[in-house]
Amino acid sequence: MKKLNKKALRVLLVIGKYARWTVGIALALFLTWRIYQVLFVQQAFTADTWLRFALSGLILGGMYALIAIGYTLVYGIMFMINFAHGEVMMIGAFCCYFVFEALRFIPAPIAGNPDLVFLNAYPILSILIAFLVGMTVSGFSGYFLEKIAYRPLRHAPRLILLITAIGASIFLQNAAMLLFGPQRKNIVNPDILTRTAGWTIQVAGKPVLISYTGAFSLILSALLMIGLYFLVQKTKLGRSMRAVAQDQDSAALMGVDVNKVVSQTFIISGILAGASGVMWGIHMGLVNHITGSLPGIKAFTAAVLGGVGNIPGAMLGGITLGVIESMGPALFGIDFQLKDVIAFLTLIIVLIIRPSGILGEKLTEEKL
């Protein structure tokens, strides 16, 4: 009987493998046909429009990637998904709002402009202050979240940690609503980062605007991702993080302070979320208590898309998801309000075809 069961299981595994390949090939053929129809037969959009879609996707993807890296870092260390991570990003966006609002009412008059305020008199310094405050507050939020909510349950079953993370997310959302109100807050940028301003290039005889806020967010996202990868791969803290991810008990025997490393990981995760929150506020211009909810879920989708526990995978997954979300509705000829459906449908398809993600899930021996 046991032999029959084993044989049936092998047959099912083989059938599942070939079914995934069949679905993948069919999907690839359908996408190729659909892209050909949209680009060359229907020609519903011109080259300048496609470039706008691509730029928007890259900007969103960079922010998703930063948040996704936070999920990946925590997963690599504690083997859990921190579903409150999106709310840590929301805290960073609120910090951006309050810093800019405070600086907008501090007078900094000069001879030629007596009504000038600090925000526009010292725009670069104002942006640096916003990032410093946002990243610091979000970093401490991640630290206290781990200290209060997760550390007492570190050895509990994963389901308990998952429920705790969801509870922490709901708590932070409601706390923000009670403290700051449910209304959306409009973030007023310094004049050098006006959302409607940017560089204009000509594509197919039509102007395409590359906004200052978009370029700023994309470049800063890339620099932060490069810096984090260097931190994990080349520094003492990075080696400690890799050791704890591989085996906490063995790392402790080798002299690594596991609690300290876990706390530092949550701080780094929070700092990245805070930076993405400030960039989100600068680029999007609106923030409220649920600002981090959908980006947080999409960043989790990006982490799974690239390969859970894989930092380059999280980066690639974020960029890929942003581009798919931006260009997908145009490629499939559907309403742009359904872009979220396309994003999550992409996750389902990837899990069917390649459950480990695009670059594959890092196993225990090399989580980071």
Side-chain angles (χ1 to χ4, degrees):
M1 189 68 179
K2 289 183 179 179
K3 291 182 178 179
L4 288 174
N5 288 337
K6 289 181 180 179
K7 188 174 181 180
L9 181 60
R10 289 196 197 97
V11 171
L12 288 173
L13 289 173
V14 171
I15 292 173
K17 179 180 178 181
Y18 282 105
R20 287 201 300 270
W21 277 103
T22 303
V23 171
I25 293 171
L27 182 63
L29 291 173
F30 170 75
L31 288 176
T32 303
W33 172 82
R34 183 60 195 171
I35 292 171
Y36 172 78
Q37 288 287 318
V38 171
L39 294 180
F40 301 106
V41 178
Q42 298 174 359
Q43 296 184 350
F45 301 97
T46 54
D48 60 298
T49 304
W50 287 113
L51 180 58
R52 291 189 188 95
F53 290 153
L55 289 172
S56 176
L58 288 173
I59 294 165
L60 276 177
M63 297 182 200
Y64 290 159
L66 277 182
I67 307 172
I69 289 171
Y71 281 110
T72 290
L73 285 174
V74 172
Y75 180 85
I77 293 292
M78 291 186 63
F79 209 58
M80 66 160 286
I81 301 297
N82 179 19
F83 277 113
H85 193 58
E87 279 58 49
V88 177
M89 171 257 189
M90 173 265 295
I91 292 172
F94 266 113
C95 289
C96 174
Y97 167 75
F98 285 115
V99 168
F100 282 176
E101 283 297 296
L103 299 180
R104 197 157 67 94
F105 291 99
I106 297 177
I110 59 175
N113 189 352
D115 298 324
L116 194 64
V117 295
F118 190 96
L119 185 67
N120 293 318
Y122 307 99
I124 296 177
L125 181 58
S126 299
I127 294 167
L128 287 175
I129 293 172
F131 272 98
L132 181 62
V133 173
M135 294 166 75
T136 301
V137 174
S138 294
F140 276 110
S141 298
Y143 170 78
F144 286 114
L145 193 64
E146 187 272 333
K147 194 88 169 178
I148 297 170
Y150 301 147
R151 182 171 295 185
L153 302 172
R154 185 175 298 172
H155 301 293
R158 291 185 203 170
L159 182 60
I160 302 299
L161 278 170
L162 178 65
I163 295 171
T164 303
I166 295 172
S169 171
I170 295 171
F171 169 78
L172 290 174
Q173 276 190 30
N174 284 274
M177 183 180 68
L178 291 172
L179 288 172
F180 311 130
Q183 297 82 13
R184 287 186 176 185
K185 308 291 191 295
N186 182 38
I187 297 175
V188 179
N189 289 348
D191 289 341
I192 63 171
L193 284 180
T194 302
R195 293 182 189 88
T196 55
W199 301 279
T200 302
I201 60 175
Q202 295 292 323
V203 177
K206 295 182 179 179
V208 175
L209 179 69
I210 302 175
S211 67
Y212 294 144
T213 58
F216 172 76
S217 299
L218 183 59
I219 292 170
L220 186 57
S221 296
L223 291 175
L224 286 171
M225 286 187 278
I226 293 170
L228 175 75
Y229 191 76
F230 176 82
L231 172 75
V232 171
Q233 296 296 329
K234 302 296 183 181
T235 65
K236 182 179 179 180
L237 173 58
R239 288 192 294 272
S240 299
M241 292 167 67
R242 295 199 304 272
V244 173
Q246 181 175 343
D247 190 320
Q248 291 191 10
D249 295 332
S250 297
L253 290 174
M254 293 295 105
V256 176
D257 188 337
V258 174
N259 287 334
K260 183 178 179 181
V261 171
V262 172
S263 294
Q264 289 172 335
T265 301
F266 270 86
I267 291 172
I268 294 170
S269 173
I271 287 172
L272 293 176
S276 63
V278 175
M279 285 188 283
W280 187 277
I282 289 174
H283 184 63
M284 298 300 183
L286 293 172
V287 59
N288 65 355
H289 63 286
I290 58 172
T291 292
S293 180
L294 193 57
I297 295 173
K298 287 183 179 177
F300 169 66
T301 301
V304 177
L305 190 64
V308 180
N310 190 322
I311 289 178
M315 298 176 187
L316 178 62
I319 298 294
T320 302
L321 187 67
V323 172
I324 290 173
E325 179 183 326
S326 181
M327 303 182 73
L331 284 174
F332 292 106
I334 62 177
D335 195 308
F336 279 84
Q337 293 182 350
L338 297 176
K339 61 178 183 170
D340 296 335
V341 175
I342 291 179
F344 296 122
L345 183 61
T346 302
L347 173 65
I348 294 171
I349 292 171
V350 169
L351 289 176
I352 292 173
I353 298 172
R354 185 173 172 79
S356 59
I358 298 173
L359 296 186
E361 177 183 354
K362 290 290 185 180
L363 300 178
T364 306
E365 288 77 15
E366 45 176 352
K367 279 281 183 193
L368 291 173

